Amino acid sequence: AAMPPPAPQTATEVAASNCEECRGKEGSHRKGCSLAGSVLDRRRQQAREALKKKQAEEEEAAAAAAEGQHTRAEEEEEDEDGVQDPVTGIFSKRIPQVCNSAYNINPVLQVNIENSDYYKSLYEIATTFEAILDEVYERCTYSTPFMPGTRNPSSVFCLLYKCFILKLTYDQLDRLLNHPDSPFIQCVGVLYVRYVVAPGEMWGFLAPKVQDKTEFDYNMSGRRSRWG
């Protein structure tokens, strides 16, 4: 059987089929377009606005996802922050510090350290971990916070504060704690653990000291003490 002929288009439908030709970038019609202002025209406008909104939301979501990936990458990089030994090539991560802005030391002591001439000189003579080791070995003969009979910060605490700024790695702290040349180098290591290492990690560093029989005069009193 022959197919029935299609129904004739209405004037509005004819206008709708041709309207895209008269619509410019701003969505305006040519003069005389019968579709302008019709229900179909308003629906098309709403559909375009909905599409734009959806595209904007997708772009915003993509940007947020990219920012999240960038943030995670930065966190991973920070997690991997550390120092590579120039001789062995071994990489050691920095120990997370758990402390306030004064590194948990007395704020008055912190101010005295930062204002001391000796501490300021360390910016030139102790710029590396190796230089700090040498400076402790050469200068430190006691481990109290202040010089005896004064409110001036001791060399040990100035160098300890320098270690706070440096943010030691696990390998560097291990070297301090087990250094054979001076008990005061070990003192800097113990104090570093005491002030800025997380409580959950402290015992792992300090447990070997319980059996350490090394004797030294930590406060220039003339009496020798042991770690244990």
Side-chain angles (χ1 to χ4, degrees):
M3 296 291 293
Q9 289 183 313
T10 65
T12 300
E13 289 173 334
V14 171
S17 66
N18 298 324
C19 183
E20 295 300 332
E21 298 177 5
C22 73
R23 191 182 305 279
K25 292 182 179 180
E26 302 300 326
S28 60
H29 294 270
R30 289 201 302 261
K31 185 177 180 180
C33 179
S34 61
L35 189 60
S38 68
V39 173
L40 181 58
D41 186 45
R42 291 195 297 272
R43 287 180 177 175
R44 285 183 172 179
Q45 184 65 25
Q46 291 170 355
R48 283 195 300 273
E49 291 174 354
L51 180 60
K52 288 180 180 179
K53 182 179 180 181
K54 181 179 179 181
Q55 289 174 338
E57 290 175 348
E58 289 176 348
E59 290 174 358
E60 184 177 348
E67 178 64 23
Q69 291 175 354
H70 179 66
T71 301
R72 287 193 296 274
E74 288 180 342
E75 290 174 351
E76 290 171 0
E77 183 178 347
E78 289 176 0
D79 289 343
E80 295 301 323
D81 182 30
V83 175
Q84 186 173 29
D85 189 290
V87 177
T88 65
I90 296 174
F91 182 88
S92 181
K93 291 180 63 175
R94 296 191 191 280
I95 304 167
Q97 293 181 337
V98 180
C99 58
N100 56 26
S101 59
Y103 300 99
N104 292 334
I105 66 174
N106 186 296
V108 174
L109 177 58
Q110 181 192 30
V111 171
N112 288 354
I113 289 173
E114 293 179 343
N115 290 334
S116 73
D117 291 337
Y118 174 64
Y119 176 73
K120 292 175 182 177
S121 74
L122 295 178
Y123 282 95
E124 296 182 1
I125 63 177
T127 58
T128 66
F129 177 71
E130 299 299 332
I132 290 173
L133 286 180
D134 292 341
E135 192 68 13
V136 177
Y137 180 78
E138 293 292 336
R139 291 187 62 98
C140 298
T141 57
Y142 55 93
S143 58
T144 55
F146 297 98
M147 295 181 182
T150 75
R151 300 302 291 174
N152 297 323
S154 66
S155 298
V156 160
F157 269 74
C158 286
L159 290 158
L160 171 65
Y161 196 83
K162 190 70 176 177
C163 289
F164 294 155
I165 301 295
L166 187 63
K167 295 183 179 179
L168 299 183
T169 67
Y170 285 91
D171 178 68
Q172 288 169 340
L173 182 54
D174 181 71
R175 289 178 62 190
L176 287 176
L177 291 169
N178 297 288
H179 205 286
D181 293 346
S182 169
F184 298 105
I185 295 177
Q186 297 178 30
C187 280
V188 173
V190 170
L191 290 168
Y192 192 94
V193 174
R194 162 66 180 82
Y195 283 108
V196 299
V197 172
E201 289 194 278
M202 282 185 178
W203 183 242
F205 288 111
L206 299 181
K209 289 298 177 189
V210 174
Q211 304 300 324
D212 192 333
K213 304 304 181 183
T214 302
E215 294 186 348
F216 63 102
D217 182 1
Y218 72 92
N219 61 359
M220 298 185 71
S221 65
R223 296 189 299 272
R224 300 177 70 81
S225 303
R226 292 180 178 178
W227 289 112

